[in-house]
mmCIF file of all heavy atoms in Angstrom:
data_model
loop_
_atom_site.group_PDB
_atom_site.id
_atom_site.type_symbol
_atom_site.label_atom_id
_atom_site.label_comp_id
_atom_site.label_asym_id
_atom_site.label_seq_id
_atom_site.Cartn_x
_atom_site.Cartn_y
_atom_site.Cartn_z
ATOM 1 N N ALA A 1 6.707 -0.919 12.422
ATOM 2 C CA ALA A 1 6.166 -2.318 12.370
ATOM 3 C C ALA A 1 6.204 -2.805 10.877
ATOM 4 O O ALA A 1 6.570 -3.909 10.757
ATOM 5 C CB ALA A 1 4.681 -2.331 12.862
ATOM 6 N N ARG A 2 5.998 -2.028 9.888
ATOM 7 C CA ARG A 2 6.071 -2.455 8.488
ATOM 8 C C ARG A 2 7.585 -2.686 8.164
ATOM 9 O O ARG A 2 7.839 -3.502 7.288
ATOM 10 C CB ARG A 2 5.580 -1.354 7.616
ATOM 11 C CG ARG A 2 4.087 -1.183 7.672
ATOM 12 C CD ARG A 2 3.548 -0.400 6.487
ATOM 13 N NE ARG A 2 4.130 0.943 6.295
ATOM 14 C CZ ARG A 2 3.773 2.076 6.896
ATOM 15 N NH1 ARG A 2 2.758 2.063 7.704
ATOM 16 N NH2 ARG A 2 4.385 3.216 6.712
ATOM 17 N N ARG A 3 8.475 -2.007 8.803
ATOM 18 C CA ARG A 3 9.922 -2.155 8.449
ATOM 19 C C ARG A 3 10.469 -3.403 9.144
ATOM 20 O O ARG A 3 11.664 -3.778 8.806
ATOM 21 C CB ARG A 3 10.675 -0.919 8.804
ATOM 22 C CG ARG A 3 10.492 0.233 7.795
ATOM 23 C CD ARG A 3 11.013 1.546 8.421
ATOM 24 N NE ARG A 3 12.377 1.328 9.011
ATOM 25 C CZ ARG A 3 12.902 2.296 9.820
ATOM 26 N NH1 ARG A 3 12.227 3.329 10.225
ATOM 27 N NH2 ARG A 3 14.116 1.976 10.255
ATOM 28 N N ARG A 4 9.862 -3.940 10.143
ATOM 29 C CA ARG A 4 10.419 -5.060 10.853
ATOM 30 C C ARG A 4 10.676 -6.165 9.951
ATOM 31 O O ARG A 4 9.930 -6.522 9.081
ATOM 32 C CB ARG A 4 9.383 -5.489 12.015
ATOM 33 C CG ARG A 4 9.983 -6.446 12.912
ATOM 34 C CD ARG A 4 8.927 -6.871 14.030
ATOM 35 N NE ARG A 4 9.552 -7.715 15.030
ATOM 36 C CZ ARG A 4 8.903 -8.786 15.567
ATOM 37 N NH1 ARG A 4 7.761 -9.091 15.122
ATOM 38 N NH2 ARG A 4 9.597 -9.507 16.460
ATOM 39 N N PRO A 5 11.748 -6.867 10.131
ATOM 40 C CA PRO A 5 12.241 -8.002 9.335
ATOM 41 C C PRO A 5 11.115 -9.053 9.426
ATOM 42 O O PRO A 5 10.644 -9.432 10.404
ATOM 43 C CB PRO A 5 13.527 -8.497 9.878
ATOM 44 C CG PRO A 5 14.092 -7.248 10.631
ATOM 45 C CD PRO A 5 12.912 -6.494 11.059
ATOM 46 N N GLY A 6 10.657 -9.526 8.129
ATOM 47 C CA GLY A 6 9.644 -10.514 8.112
ATOM 48 C C GLY A 6 8.303 -9.916 7.990
ATOM 49 O O GLY A 6 7.308 -10.661 7.802
ATOM 50 N N ALA A 7 8.063 -8.603 8.048
ATOM 51 C CA ALA A 7 6.801 -8.020 7.956
ATOM 52 C C ALA A 7 6.305 -8.218 6.469
ATOM 53 O O ALA A 7 7.055 -8.170 5.518
ATOM 54 C CB ALA A 7 6.979 -6.447 8.219
ATOM 55 N N ARG A 8 5.013 -8.400 6.366
ATOM 56 C CA ARG A 8 4.399 -8.660 5.065
ATOM 57 C C ARG A 8 4.162 -7.378 4.317
ATOM 58 O O ARG A 8 4.204 -6.235 4.901
ATOM 59 C CB ARG A 8 3.040 -9.360 5.428
ATOM 60 C CG ARG A 8 3.096 -10.750 6.018
ATOM 61 C CD ARG A 8 3.437 -11.829 4.948
ATOM 62 N NE ARG A 8 2.344 -11.961 4.151
ATOM 63 C CZ ARG A 8 1.259 -12.732 4.430
ATOM 64 N NH1 ARG A 8 1.177 -13.419 5.571
ATOM 65 N NH2 ARG A 8 0.271 -12.982 3.627
ATOM 66 N N ALA A 9 3.661 -7.546 3.171
ATOM 67 C CA ALA A 9 3.272 -6.332 2.269
ATOM 68 C C ALA A 9 2.213 -5.568 2.896
ATOM 69 O O ALA A 9 1.411 -5.988 3.758
ATOM 70 C CB ALA A 9 2.846 -6.862 0.908
ATOM 71 N N ARG A 10 2.118 -4.258 2.549
ATOM 72 C CA ARG A 10 1.218 -3.299 3.139
ATOM 73 C C ARG A 10 -0.197 -3.757 3.052
ATOM 74 O O ARG A 10 -0.966 -3.879 4.082
ATOM 75 C CB ARG A 10 1.398 -1.993 2.610
ATOM 76 C CG ARG A 10 0.483 -0.932 3.340
ATOM 77 C CD ARG A 10 0.829 0.515 2.815
ATOM 78 N NE ARG A 10 0.214 0.594 1.527
ATOM 79 C CZ ARG A 10 0.200 1.769 0.848
ATOM 80 N NH1 ARG A 10 0.879 2.825 1.243
ATOM 81 N NH2 ARG A 10 -0.484 1.765 -0.348
ATOM 82 N N THR A 11 -0.692 -4.127 1.849
ATOM 83 C CA THR A 11 -2.061 -4.551 1.588
ATOM 84 C C THR A 11 -2.074 -6.090 1.792
ATOM 85 O O THR A 11 -1.412 -6.757 1.130
ATOM 86 C CB THR A 11 -2.574 -4.148 0.283
ATOM 87 O OG1 THR A 11 -2.499 -2.692 0.243
ATOM 88 C CG2 THR A 11 -3.936 -4.608 0.177
ATOM 89 N N LEU A 12 -2.955 -6.552 2.678
ATOM 90 C CA LEU A 12 -3.047 -7.993 2.901
ATOM 91 C C LEU A 12 -4.305 -8.428 2.214
ATOM 92 O O LEU A 12 -5.362 -7.948 2.225
ATOM 93 C CB LEU A 12 -3.216 -8.214 4.442
ATOM 94 C CG LEU A 12 -2.161 -7.615 5.287
ATOM 95 C CD1 LEU A 12 -2.508 -7.842 6.793
ATOM 96 C CD2 LEU A 12 -0.806 -8.325 4.959
ATOM 97 N N ARG A 13 -4.119 -9.551 1.443
ATOM 98 C CA ARG A 13 -5.180 -10.127 0.654
ATOM 99 C C ARG A 13 -5.446 -11.571 0.776
ATOM 100 O O ARG A 13 -4.443 -12.357 0.781
ATOM 101 C CB ARG A 13 -4.994 -9.848 -0.874
ATOM 102 C CG ARG A 13 -4.909 -8.332 -1.351
ATOM 103 C CD ARG A 13 -4.684 -8.094 -2.772
ATOM 104 N NE ARG A 13 -4.680 -6.790 -3.112
ATOM 105 C CZ ARG A 13 -3.631 -5.927 -3.123
ATOM 106 N NH1 ARG A 13 -2.431 -6.390 -2.706
ATOM 107 N NH2 ARG A 13 -3.839 -4.686 -3.489
ATOM 108 N N ALA A 14 -6.653 -11.989 0.926
ATOM 109 C CA ALA A 14 -6.898 -13.470 0.943
ATOM 110 C C ALA A 14 -8.530 -13.601 0.918
ATOM 111 O O ALA A 14 -9.197 -12.804 1.472
ATOM 112 C CB ALA A 14 -6.395 -14.189 2.231
ATOM 113 N N ALA A 15 -8.898 -14.581 0.131
ATOM 114 C CA ALA A 15 -10.412 -14.994 0.166
ATOM 115 C C ALA A 15 -11.282 -13.724 -0.145
ATOM 116 O O ALA A 15 -12.372 -13.651 0.410
ATOM 117 C CB ALA A 15 -10.807 -15.569 1.408
ATOM 118 N N GLY A 16 -10.847 -12.948 -1.106
ATOM 119 C CA GLY A 16 -11.688 -11.820 -1.488
ATOM 120 C C GLY A 16 -11.624 -10.631 -0.618
ATOM 121 O O GLY A 16 -12.342 -9.634 -0.750
ATOM 122 N N LEU A 17 -10.849 -10.730 0.501
ATOM 123 C CA LEU A 17 -10.632 -9.640 1.429
ATOM 124 C C LEU A 17 -9.307 -8.865 1.082
ATOM 125 O O LEU A 17 -8.350 -9.382 0.673
ATOM 126 C CB LEU A 17 -10.481 -10.210 2.878
ATOM 127 C CG LEU A 17 -11.737 -11.007 3.341
ATOM 128 C CD1 LEU A 17 -11.387 -11.598 4.717
ATOM 129 C CD2 LEU A 17 -12.878 -9.982 3.673
ATOM 130 N N GLU A 18 -9.532 -7.540 1.247
ATOM 131 C CA GLU A 18 -8.285 -6.687 1.079
ATOM 132 C C GLU A 18 -8.298 -5.696 2.335
ATOM 133 O O GLU A 18 -9.156 -5.077 2.564
ATOM 134 C CB GLU A 18 -8.361 -5.850 -0.134
ATOM 135 C CG GLU A 18 -8.208 -6.647 -1.426
ATOM 136 C CD GLU A 18 -8.127 -5.700 -2.653
ATOM 137 O OE1 GLU A 18 -7.789 -4.506 -2.546
ATOM 138 O OE2 GLU A 18 -8.301 -6.182 -3.781
ATOM 139 N N LEU A 19 -7.108 -5.842 3.047
ATOM 140 C CA LEU A 19 -6.976 -4.956 4.295
ATOM 141 C C LEU A 19 -5.751 -4.107 4.141
ATOM 142 O O LEU A 19 -4.650 -4.554 3.884
ATOM 143 C CB LEU A 19 -6.906 -5.881 5.499
ATOM 144 C CG LEU A 19 -6.798 -5.068 6.853
ATOM 145 C CD1 LEU A 19 -7.544 -5.894 7.974
ATOM 146 C CD2 LEU A 19 -5.324 -4.921 7.321
ATOM 147 N N ASP A 20 -5.856 -2.772 4.319
ATOM 148 C CA ASP A 20 -4.764 -1.933 4.251
ATOM 149 C C ASP A 20 -4.490 -1.423 5.717
ATOM 150 O O ASP A 20 -5.281 -0.616 6.233
ATOM 151 C CB ASP A 20 -5.072 -0.654 3.257
ATOM 152 C CG ASP A 20 -3.839 0.194 3.033
ATOM 153 O OD1 ASP A 20 -3.075 0.393 4.029
ATOM 154 O OD2 ASP A 20 -3.686 0.739 1.936
ATOM 155 N N PRO A 21 -3.430 -1.794 6.328
ATOM 156 C CA PRO A 21 -3.183 -1.345 7.794
ATOM 157 C C PRO A 21 -2.889 0.075 7.879
ATOM 158 O O PRO A 21 -3.086 0.607 8.935
ATOM 159 C CB PRO A 21 -1.883 -2.188 8.112
ATOM 160 C CG PRO A 21 -1.937 -3.364 7.145
ATOM 161 C CD PRO A 21 -2.507 -2.827 5.855
ATOM 162 N N VAL A 22 -2.373 0.755 6.818
ATOM 163 C CA VAL A 22 -2.043 2.074 6.899
ATOM 164 C C VAL A 22 -3.238 3.032 6.797
ATOM 165 O O VAL A 22 -3.501 3.815 7.507
ATOM 166 C CB VAL A 22 -0.995 2.510 5.716
ATOM 167 C CG1 VAL A 22 -0.781 3.999 5.717
ATOM 168 C CG2 VAL A 22 0.308 1.714 5.945
ATOM 169 N N ARG A 23 -4.058 2.834 5.760
ATOM 170 C CA ARG A 23 -5.276 3.487 5.514
ATOM 171 C C ARG A 23 -6.455 3.064 6.409
ATOM 172 O O ARG A 23 -7.413 3.742 6.517
ATOM 173 C CB ARG A 23 -5.737 3.520 4.060
ATOM 174 C CG ARG A 23 -4.806 4.115 3.050
ATOM 175 C CD ARG A 23 -5.216 4.155 1.722
ATOM 176 N NE ARG A 23 -4.376 4.809 0.895
ATOM 177 C CZ ARG A 23 -3.383 4.339 0.185
ATOM 178 N NH1 ARG A 23 -3.161 2.995 0.325
ATOM 179 N NH2 ARG A 23 -2.627 4.977 -0.660
ATOM 180 N N ARG A 24 -6.287 1.914 7.062
ATOM 181 C CA ARG A 24 -7.249 1.357 7.974
ATOM 182 C C ARG A 24 -8.595 1.034 7.209
ATOM 183 O O ARG A 24 -9.646 1.411 7.658
ATOM 184 C CB ARG A 24 -7.578 2.312 9.205
ATOM 185 C CG ARG A 24 -6.271 2.811 9.972
ATOM 186 C CD ARG A 24 -5.568 1.659 10.549
ATOM 187 N NE ARG A 24 -6.184 1.110 11.774
ATOM 188 C CZ ARG A 24 -5.805 -0.002 12.307
ATOM 189 N NH1 ARG A 24 -4.812 -0.644 11.884
ATOM 190 N NH2 ARG A 24 -6.446 -0.474 13.300
ATOM 191 N N THR A 25 -8.496 0.507 6.058
ATOM 192 C CA THR A 25 -9.638 0.116 5.267
ATOM 193 C C THR A 25 -9.700 -1.351 5.081
ATOM 194 O O THR A 25 -8.660 -2.106 5.021
ATOM 195 C CB THR A 25 -9.526 0.815 3.919
ATOM 196 O OG1 THR A 25 -8.308 0.422 3.286
ATOM 197 C CG2 THR A 25 -9.524 2.323 4.103
ATOM 198 N N VAL A 26 -10.959 -1.834 4.870
ATOM 199 C CA VAL A 26 -11.157 -3.289 4.592
ATOM 200 C C VAL A 26 -12.150 -3.455 3.484
ATOM 201 O O VAL A 26 -13.228 -2.699 3.550
ATOM 202 C CB VAL A 26 -11.651 -4.008 5.786
ATOM 203 C CG1 VAL A 26 -11.981 -5.585 5.432
ATOM 204 C CG2 VAL A 26 -10.718 -3.946 6.935
ATOM 205 N N LEU A 27 -11.838 -4.185 2.417
ATOM 206 C CA LEU A 27 -12.858 -4.415 1.372
ATOM 207 C C LEU A 27 -13.166 -5.939 1.382
ATOM 208 O O LEU A 27 -12.243 -6.728 1.567
ATOM 209 C CB LEU A 27 -12.270 -3.964 0.007
ATOM 210 C CG LEU A 27 -11.835 -2.515 -0.158
ATOM 211 C CD1 LEU A 27 -11.183 -2.400 -1.470
ATOM 212 C CD2 LEU A 27 -13.030 -1.653 0.072
ATOM 213 N N ARG A 28 -14.377 -6.301 0.990
ATOM 214 C CA ARG A 28 -14.650 -7.704 0.653
ATOM 215 C C ARG A 28 -15.343 -7.639 -0.750
ATOM 216 O O ARG A 28 -16.438 -7.000 -0.955
ATOM 217 C CB ARG A 28 -15.673 -8.268 1.630
ATOM 218 C CG ARG A 28 -15.926 -9.684 1.140
ATOM 219 C CD ARG A 28 -16.598 -10.658 2.152
ATOM 220 N NE ARG A 28 -16.489 -11.989 1.580
ATOM 221 C CZ ARG A 28 -17.152 -13.106 2.143
ATOM 222 N NH1 ARG A 28 -17.756 -12.913 3.325
ATOM 223 N NH2 ARG A 28 -17.067 -14.264 1.592
ATOM 224 N N ASP A 29 -14.590 -8.314 -1.608
ATOM 225 C CA ASP A 29 -15.048 -8.286 -3.088
ATOM 226 C C ASP A 29 -15.373 -6.895 -3.565
ATOM 227 O O ASP A 29 -16.312 -6.639 -4.302
ATOM 228 C CB ASP A 29 -16.317 -9.170 -3.160
ATOM 229 C CG ASP A 29 -15.994 -10.686 -2.806
ATOM 230 O OD1 ASP A 29 -14.908 -11.064 -3.099
ATOM 231 O OD2 ASP A 29 -16.987 -11.335 -2.202
ATOM 232 N N GLY A 30 -14.375 -5.890 -3.146
ATOM 233 C CA GLY A 30 -14.517 -4.571 -3.537
ATOM 234 C C GLY A 30 -15.542 -3.698 -2.769
ATOM 235 O O GLY A 30 -15.652 -2.479 -2.925
ATOM 236 N N ARG A 31 -16.243 -4.352 -1.846
ATOM 237 C CA ARG A 31 -17.189 -3.603 -0.941
ATOM 238 C C ARG A 31 -16.559 -3.117 0.394
ATOM 239 O O ARG A 31 -15.975 -4.002 1.085
ATOM 240 C CB ARG A 31 -18.459 -4.557 -0.675
ATOM 241 C CG ARG A 31 -19.521 -3.884 0.178
ATOM 242 C CD ARG A 31 -20.689 -4.798 0.293
ATOM 243 N NE ARG A 31 -20.338 -6.177 0.763
ATOM 244 C CZ ARG A 31 -20.264 -6.578 2.026
ATOM 245 N NH1 ARG A 31 -20.480 -5.678 2.937
ATOM 246 N NH2 ARG A 31 -20.073 -7.835 2.341
ATOM 247 N N PRO A 32 -16.632 -1.912 0.680
ATOM 248 C CA PRO A 32 -15.936 -1.403 1.975
ATOM 249 C C PRO A 32 -16.710 -1.819 3.169
ATOM 250 O O PRO A 32 -18.008 -1.942 3.077
ATOM 251 C CB PRO A 32 -16.033 0.125 1.825
ATOM 252 C CG PRO A 32 -17.143 0.393 0.812
ATOM 253 C CD PRO A 32 -17.097 -0.678 -0.010
ATOM 254 N N LEU A 33 -16.009 -2.259 4.257
ATOM 255 C CA LEU A 33 -16.631 -2.708 5.414
ATOM 256 C C LEU A 33 -16.261 -1.750 6.570
ATOM 257 O O LEU A 33 -15.094 -1.252 6.615
ATOM 258 C CB LEU A 33 -16.112 -4.149 5.776
ATOM 259 C CG LEU A 33 -16.401 -5.246 4.716
ATOM 260 C CD1 LEU A 33 -15.783 -6.482 5.212
ATOM 261 C CD2 LEU A 33 -17.908 -5.338 4.601
ATOM 262 N N GLU A 34 -17.210 -1.576 7.540
ATOM 263 C CA GLU A 34 -16.854 -0.842 8.774
ATOM 264 C C GLU A 34 -16.736 -1.636 9.930
ATOM 265 O O GLU A 34 -17.624 -2.413 10.325
ATOM 266 C CB GLU A 34 -18.075 0.216 8.991
ATOM 267 C CG GLU A 34 -18.349 1.249 7.940
ATOM 268 C CD GLU A 34 -17.110 2.287 7.943
ATOM 269 O OE1 GLU A 34 -16.481 2.472 9.014
ATOM 270 O OE2 GLU A 34 -16.810 2.890 6.810
ATOM 271 N N LEU A 35 -15.494 -1.642 10.378
ATOM 272 C CA LEU A 35 -15.175 -2.631 11.520
ATOM 273 C C LEU A 35 -14.694 -1.805 12.754
ATOM 274 O O LEU A 35 -14.230 -0.673 12.612
ATOM 275 C CB LEU A 35 -14.041 -3.576 11.137
ATOM 276 C CG LEU A 35 -14.214 -4.417 9.904
ATOM 277 C CD1 LEU A 35 -12.990 -5.364 9.699
ATOM 278 C CD2 LEU A 35 -15.317 -5.193 9.952
ATOM 279 N N SER A 36 -14.913 -2.442 13.890
ATOM 280 C CA SER A 36 -14.510 -1.749 15.050
ATOM 281 C C SER A 36 -12.965 -1.851 15.245
ATOM 282 O O SER A 36 -12.372 -2.659 14.449
ATOM 283 C CB SER A 36 -15.084 -2.393 16.321
ATOM 284 O OG SER A 36 -14.602 -3.640 16.567
ATOM 285 N N VAL A 37 -12.286 -1.168 16.082
ATOM 286 C CA VAL A 37 -10.895 -1.329 16.279
ATOM 287 C C VAL A 37 -10.309 -2.691 16.423
ATOM 288 O O VAL A 37 -9.543 -3.269 15.835
ATOM 289 C CB VAL A 37 -10.442 -0.370 17.431
ATOM 290 C CG1 VAL A 37 -8.949 -0.682 17.846
ATOM 291 C CG2 VAL A 37 -10.456 1.101 17.042
ATOM 292 N N LYS A 38 -11.013 -3.436 17.401
ATOM 293 C CA LYS A 38 -10.650 -4.797 17.729
ATOM 294 C C LYS A 38 -10.971 -5.729 16.543
ATOM 295 O O LYS A 38 -10.244 -6.678 16.205
ATOM 296 C CB LYS A 38 -11.288 -5.239 19.031
ATOM 297 C CG LYS A 38 -10.753 -4.581 20.267
ATOM 298 C CD LYS A 38 -9.245 -4.878 20.454
ATOM 299 C CE LYS A 38 -8.713 -4.290 21.656
ATOM 300 N NZ LYS A 38 -7.250 -4.352 21.752
ATOM 301 N N GLU A 39 -12.106 -5.533 15.884
ATOM 302 C CA GLU A 39 -12.425 -6.425 14.740
ATOM 303 C C GLU A 39 -11.403 -6.302 13.721
ATOM 304 O O GLU A 39 -10.934 -7.310 13.190
ATOM 305 C CB GLU A 39 -13.884 -6.131 14.244
ATOM 306 C CG GLU A 39 -14.985 -6.396 15.274
ATOM 307 C CD GLU A 39 -16.292 -5.706 14.950
ATOM 308 O OE1 GLU A 39 -16.295 -4.834 14.056
ATOM 309 O OE2 GLU A 39 -17.228 -5.838 15.709
ATOM 310 N N PHE A 40 -10.922 -5.070 13.440
ATOM 311 C CA PHE A 40 -9.922 -4.785 12.400
ATOM 312 C C PHE A 40 -8.661 -5.402 12.758
ATOM 313 O O PHE A 40 -7.999 -6.110 11.947
ATOM 314 C CB PHE A 40 -9.806 -3.225 12.319
ATOM 315 C CG PHE A 40 -8.819 -2.958 11.158
ATOM 316 C CD1 PHE A 40 -9.390 -2.489 9.954
ATOM 317 C CD2 PHE A 40 -7.429 -2.925 11.297
ATOM 318 C CE1 PHE A 40 -8.497 -2.138 8.977
ATOM 319 C CE2 PHE A 40 -6.593 -2.608 10.305
ATOM 320 C CZ PHE A 40 -7.122 -2.187 9.116
ATOM 321 N N ALA A 41 -8.252 -5.363 14.028
ATOM 322 C CA ALA A 41 -7.072 -5.916 14.517
ATOM 323 C C ALA A 41 -7.097 -7.489 14.442
ATOM 324 O O ALA A 41 -6.076 -8.052 14.040
ATOM 325 C CB ALA A 41 -6.713 -5.603 15.974
ATOM 326 N N VAL A 42 -8.259 -8.074 14.773
ATOM 327 C CA VAL A 42 -8.312 -9.600 14.620
ATOM 328 C C VAL A 42 -8.225 -10.027 13.126
ATOM 329 O O VAL A 42 -7.467 -10.922 12.829
ATOM 330 C CB VAL A 42 -9.623 -10.063 15.242
ATOM 331 C CG1 VAL A 42 -9.951 -11.552 14.861
ATOM 332 C CG2 VAL A 42 -9.671 -9.924 16.751
ATOM 333 N N LEU A 43 -8.849 -9.260 12.307
ATOM 334 C CA LEU A 43 -8.865 -9.532 10.920
ATOM 335 C C LEU A 43 -7.444 -9.354 10.344
ATOM 336 O O LEU A 43 -6.856 -10.279 9.622
ATOM 337 C CB LEU A 43 -9.778 -8.754 10.139
ATOM 338 C CG LEU A 43 -9.952 -9.034 8.590
ATOM 339 C CD1 LEU A 43 -10.379 -10.429 8.367
ATOM 340 C CD2 LEU A 43 -10.808 -8.018 7.944
ATOM 341 N N GLU A 44 -6.725 -8.357 10.757
ATOM 342 C CA GLU A 44 -5.375 -8.141 10.369
ATOM 343 C C GLU A 44 -4.504 -9.269 10.720
ATOM 344 O O GLU A 44 -3.619 -9.812 9.981
ATOM 345 C CB GLU A 44 -4.839 -6.826 10.827
ATOM 346 C CG GLU A 44 -3.401 -6.429 10.487
ATOM 347 C CD GLU A 44 -2.880 -5.164 10.993
ATOM 348 O OE1 GLU A 44 -3.631 -4.382 11.574
ATOM 349 O OE2 GLU A 44 -1.759 -4.906 10.745
ATOM 350 N N ALA A 45 -4.573 -9.752 12.054
ATOM 351 C CA ALA A 45 -3.757 -10.781 12.503
ATOM 352 C C ALA A 45 -4.033 -12.019 11.774
ATOM 353 O O ALA A 45 -3.145 -12.774 11.409
ATOM 354 C CB ALA A 45 -4.158 -10.990 14.029
ATOM 355 N N LEU A 46 -5.319 -12.404 11.481
ATOM 356 C CA LEU A 46 -5.619 -13.600 10.727
ATOM 357 C C LEU A 46 -5.079 -13.552 9.292
ATOM 358 O O LEU A 46 -4.576 -14.465 8.792
ATOM 359 C CB LEU A 46 -7.117 -13.837 10.763
ATOM 360 C CG LEU A 46 -7.731 -14.254 12.047
ATOM 361 C CD1 LEU A 46 -9.218 -14.270 11.991
ATOM 362 C CD2 LEU A 46 -7.188 -15.667 12.481
ATOM 363 N N LEU A 47 -5.224 -12.390 8.718
ATOM 364 C CA LEU A 47 -4.763 -12.219 7.262
ATOM 365 C C LEU A 47 -3.183 -12.333 7.272
ATOM 366 O O LEU A 47 -2.671 -12.882 6.263
ATOM 367 C CB LEU A 47 -5.138 -10.887 6.712
ATOM 368 C CG LEU A 47 -6.690 -10.798 6.327
ATOM 369 C CD1 LEU A 47 -7.054 -9.433 5.945
ATOM 370 C CD2 LEU A 47 -6.811 -11.751 5.068
#
């Protein structure tokens, strides 16, 4: 999925959020967040 043409950079960043799809981590302003599988997927899609 990361190699697919047009795929974005591994770490997604916007509005103080950092999402790493590989490590499955989310930070807001440096603070780690615990998200459910679907919450993570929704945030990844929006980012």
Side-chain angles (χ1 to χ4, degrees):
R2 293 196 302 273
R3 286 167 46 197
R4 188 178 184 222
R8 295 275 294 275
R10 186 178 72 180
T11 300
L12 306 175
R13 297 181 175 88
L17 297 170
E18 292 188 19
L19 182 147
D20 188 326
V22 177
R23 295 185 176 88
R24 311 296 292 169
T25 59
V26 178
L27 303 176
R28 178 164 190 188
D29 298 326
R31 175 174 58 90
L33 302 175
E34 293 293 331
L35 304 181
S36 72
V37 168
K38 288 301 184 189
E39 291 160 1
F40 187 97
V42 167
L43 183 60
E44 180 178 355
L46 289 171
L47 283 169

